[in-house]
Amino acid sequence: LTTPSLIALDWGTSNLRASLLDGMGHAIETRSAPGGVMAVKDGQFSAALLALCGDWITQFECPLIASGMIGSRQGWKEAPYLDCPATLAQAATQLTTVPIDVIDSGKPLRPLHIAAGLKCIDAGGEFDVMRGEEIQIWGAGLLAQSCCVLPGTHSKWAWLGDSGGGGEVSHFRTFMTGELYGLLTQHGILGRLMDFEAAKSAFQKDEFAAGVRLGLRGHSQMSHTIFAARTAGLMGRVVPAGLPDYLSGILIGAEIGGATLDAKPAGGVTLIGDDALCIRYETALEVAAIGARRAPDGTTTRGQWLIAVAAGLVRAAT
Amino acid sequence: LTTPSLIALDWGTSNLRASLLDGMGHAIETRSAPGGVMAVKDGQFSAALLALCGDWITQFECPLIASGMIGSRQGWKEAPYLDCPATLAQAATQLTTVPIDVIDSGKPLRPLHIAAGLKCIDAGGEFDVMRGEEIQIWGAGLLAQSCCVLPGTHSKWAWLGDSGGGGEVSHFRTFMTGELYGLLTQHGILGRLMDFEAAKSAFQKDEFAAGVRLGLRGHSQMSHTIFAARTAGLMGRVVPAGLPDYLSGILIGAEIGGATLDAKPAGGVTLIGDDALCIRYETALEVAAIGARRAPDGTTTRGQWLIAVAAGLVRAAT
């Protein structure tokens, strides 16, 4: 069972993370490097990949699958965006294949299969896109008719369709919450009144929750509502150490308010993401009276494994 | 009539602008320097002022009045924020006085009078503040029960109360539209698909109007709606040269949508600001079916003059 069966790459904007999976799809070993799409120069993706796990590739000769921004226009090769509703089975038939360059002669290597992203069109005719998160959604094995949230630089809210087993992504929406927080605090005027050093020592939960309440109430005029992170500082209602989490709360509250405009998810939401962000979203969703549960860890690897199986790249051990 | 009667300073974050006014409040001469609050080091405000118009000050011995961020905590001396509803007559009784340091001995100089800012509290209990714009509003001589918009880094929407003659600022709201545009295009991912060089050559009015329509429709989930400035580029629906104005339209549309949430201003709005920004807002307001007219130029100087007269610092020639 511990026979290496698949090399699964989570290849994003900043990082490249490789997992060597056994015949059940469990990780035997995991490695990562800051070799994300933005860090690789002149299209040297083969070299970046071989530097991280060339030994696995030559030694085990397993199939390779990748998901994330590596399939974007700035990545190795642009993989398509599948239309929603989209299932894992459909994605498995749409892998984009790139050869891996062999540098020191040697025998040819197996190619890399890059998973497609998803796109959807909202009621107003605007596109939305995701690339990588769909793998996590499928990997989380969600119920039919459920809703999940992947917090991050660009948070994704996704609604699952009728087919169970995490099968069908019906539609989704991106919220630029994390990016806005970074821009406003690092480069904007709101950051000037903030004490980041003091804020770092602990999650300022009360200020965060106050921000969430404000964001939920004021999401319809968000570019006004965020200004409260300045006036609350000017008027001494929130101390400088509390302002970063107050703003974080406003932005996440506005996200939740906007995402649940049509209806609150009846069965609550499933959170997929890292621990620190999930704690914030759990707190915020509680303020919004929306139930939240966490997906198990390892959704990316699990989703990659399931696609590789569905594509016939590997056969699951039974 | 051309006797110098008042030195009026528009002293903001980036620039210091000085006008020498005659006995009717008309400018005899105007000078400016990049000596804004952020550019002045170690509190050397006297020196910055004397460098720009020390000759006026010593020669004419007129009273001096200033408005803008010079009255903020980062400025020369913090001037209060008056509570709304606030009138020019009230502001005239609340000037904050600072002495001007005489560097080369000489006789003492007349002090500088800094105008107060305004604050208001919205229905949810959040503060909003302005500093400098209230002078422009009073200077514009608006009708009772009207609404005005001052576009900018932090756009202000202000509603006038019952007292006519531009008298009473009833309440107002700040929208961080200009700052968000700057942050998103200069430091964020949305800027990466944009061709700023090509965009600079002309105002891309069609893309801007399309953005406004989207912003008006999507202001309730603004952190999602702005992501359309990426997807429209990715999907080739808006060319790289059109993306900056598309995003500008989304943000201004979302501002208008948020500001007019309760009710569209029945009599339209009066725009107070520089030409390029006013053209954008006129276009956007037209898309939103809200009437717009422009305030005459010189609202800052006019407002400063009116306050100085009301405060008894100068007597208007008759």
Side-chain angles (χ1 to χ4, degrees):
Chain A
L1 279 189
T2 57
T3 314
S5 300
L6 180 71
I7 297 171
L9 308 171
D10 175 9
W11 205 332
T13 302
S14 310
N15 294 296
L16 164 57
R17 202 178 155 89
S19 299
L20 183 65
L21 306 185
D22 69 15
M24 295 286 281
H26 298 136
I28 301 168
E29 192 185 338
T30 295
R31 298 174 184 175
S32 68
V37 169
M38 289 302 162
V40 173
K41 303 289 173 216
D42 306 321
Q44 299 291 309
F45 295 104
S46 280
L49 175 59
L50 292 169
L52 184 65
C53 52
D55 55 338
W56 292 351
I57 294 171
T58 52
Q59 188 179 340
F60 303 123
E61 298 184 35
C62 329
L64 290 101
I65 193 163
S67 63
M69 291 302 279
I70 192 65
S72 70
R73 204 168 299 172
Q74 289 79 40
W76 197 336
K77 186 174 178 183
E78 190 168 10
Y81 292 107
L82 307 184
D83 288 312
C84 281
T87 63
L88 180 141
Q90 290 165 335
T93 67
Q94 299 265 346
L95 299 176
T96 294
T97 303
V98 284
I100 299 172
D101 300 335
V102 186
I103 294 173
D104 302 326
S105 70
K107 59 182 175 183
L109 301 173
R110 300 184 67 150
L112 173 67
H113 301 279
I114 302 176
L118 298 189
K119 70 173 186 283
C120 69
I121 301 180
D122 69 18
E126 287 299 317
F127 281 104
D128 206 333
V129 295
M130 63 165 63
R131 208 177 260 297
E133 294 90 349
E134 67 290 342
I135 303 291
Q136 293 183 266
I137 295 168
W138 288 321
L142 301 169
L143 297 176
Q145 302 284 13
S146 63
C147 174
C148 66
V149 181
L150 299 94
T153 306
H154 294 171
S155 286
K156 307 285 183 184
W157 285 65
W159 287 266
L160 281 289
D162 281 313
S163 89
E168 186 183 273
V169 178
S170 164
H171 62 285
F172 61 88
R173 280 202 192 115
T174 302
F175 292 82
M176 296 180 68
T177 304
E179 178 166 341
L180 283 170
Y181 178 79
L183 292 173
L184 290 165
T185 52
Q186 289 163 37
H187 302 285
I189 199 169
L190 298 183
R192 294 209 196 131
L193 295 175
M194 295 179 177
D195 183 343
F196 295 103
E197 274 309 307
K200 248 189 286 183
S201 63
F203 176 37
Q204 314 283 321
K205 198 171 170 178
D206 290 347
E207 283 77 6
F208 177 80
V212 171
R213 284 190 292 273
L214 178 58
L216 286 168
R217 201 164 67 220
H219 67 91
S220 289
Q221 30 187 289
M222 199 188 94
S223 61
H224 162 64
T225 304
I226 54 176
F227 193 59
R230 179 162 175 81
T231 55
L234 283 176
M235 299 298 165
R237 283 165 44 131
V238 176
V239 296
L243 286 173
D245 283 334
Y246 187 58
L247 176 62
S248 169
I250 293 173
L251 290 168
I252 293 173
E255 173 185 328
I256 294 172
T260 60
L261 200 58
D262 304 326
K264 278 192 191 181
V269 301
T270 302
L271 289 167
I272 306 176
D274 76 55
D275 201 48
L277 270 180
C278 283
I279 288 173
R280 271 172 201 268
Y281 275 71
E282 281 167 349
T283 305
L285 288 162
E286 194 183 330
V287 171
I290 295 171
R293 75 194 69 78
R294 296 257 200 123
D297 287 341
T299 52
T300 302
T301 310
R302 188 75 199 149
Q304 291 171 326
W305 172 259
L306 291 173
I307 286 207
V309 171
L313 293 176
V314 290
R315 198 179 307 171
T318 49
Chain B
L1 280 188
T2 57
T3 315
S5 300
L6 180 70
I7 297 171
L9 308 171
D10 176 9
W11 205 331
T13 303
S14 310
N15 294 295
L16 164 58
R17 205 178 152 89
S19 300
L20 183 66
L21 306 185
D22 69 16
M24 294 287 280
H26 298 137
I28 301 168
E29 192 185 338
T30 295
R31 299 174 183 174
S32 68
V37 169
M38 289 302 162
V40 173
K41 303 288 173 218
D42 306 322
Q44 297 292 308
F45 295 105
S46 279
L49 175 58
L50 292 169
L52 183 64
C53 53
D55 55 337
W56 292 351
I57 293 172
T58 51
Q59 188 179 342
F60 304 123
E61 298 184 34
C62 330
L64 290 101
I65 192 164
S67 63
M69 291 304 281
I70 192 65
S72 70
R73 204 167 300 172
Q74 290 79 41
W76 196 336
K77 186 172 178 184
E78 191 168 10
Y81 292 107
L82 307 184
D83 287 312
C84 280
T87 63
L88 179 141
Q90 290 165 335
T93 68
Q94 298 265 345
L95 298 175
T96 294
T97 302
V98 285
I100 299 173
D101 300 336
V102 186
I103 294 172
D104 302 326
S105 70
K107 59 182 174 182
L109 301 173
R110 299 184 68 151
L112 173 67
H113 301 279
I114 303 176
L118 299 188
K119 69 173 187 283
C120 69
I121 301 181
D122 69 18
E126 287 299 317
F127 282 105
D128 205 334
V129 294
M130 64 165 63
R131 209 177 258 297
E133 294 91 348
E134 67 291 342
I135 304 290
Q136 294 183 266
I137 295 169
W138 288 320
L142 300 168
L143 297 175
Q145 301 284 12
S146 63
C147 173
C148 65
V149 181
L150 298 94
T153 305
H154 293 171
S155 287
K156 307 284 183 185
W157 285 64
W159 287 266
L160 281 290
D162 281 313
S163 89
E168 185 184 272
V169 178
S170 166
H171 62 285
F172 61 88
R173 281 201 193 116
T174 302
F175 292 82
M176 296 181 67
T177 304
E179 177 167 342
L180 282 170
Y181 178 79
L183 293 173
L184 289 166
T185 53
Q186 289 165 36
H187 302 284
I189 198 169
L190 299 183
R192 294 207 198 135
L193 295 176
M194 295 179 177
D195 182 342
F196 296 103
E197 274 309 307
K200 249 190 284 183
S201 64
F203 176 36
Q204 313 284 320
K205 197 171 171 178
D206 290 348
E207 282 77 5
F208 177 80
V212 171
R213 284 189 293 274
L214 179 57
L216 286 168
R217 202 165 67 222
H219 68 90
S220 289
Q221 32 186 281
M222 198 186 94
S223 62
H224 162 65
T225 304
I226 54 175
F227 192 60
R230 179 163 174 78
T231 55
L234 283 176
M235 298 298 165
R237 282 163 48 129
V238 176
V239 296
L243 286 173
D245 283 334
Y246 187 58
L247 176 62
S248 168
I250 294 173
L251 290 168
I252 293 174
E255 173 185 326
I256 295 172
T260 61
L261 201 58
D262 304 327
K264 278 191 191 181
V269 302
T270 301
L271 289 167
I272 306 175
D274 77 56
D275 202 48
L277 270 181
C278 283
I279 289 172
R280 271 173 201 269
Y281 275 71
E282 282 166 348
T283 305
L285 288 161
E286 196 184 327
V287 171
I290 295 172
R293 74 194 70 76
R294 297 259 199 120
D297 287 340
T299 51
T300 302
T301 310
R302 188 75 200 149
Q304 290 171 327
W305 171 258
L306 292 173
I307 286 207
V309 170
L313 292 178
V314 291
R315 197 179 307 172
T318 48

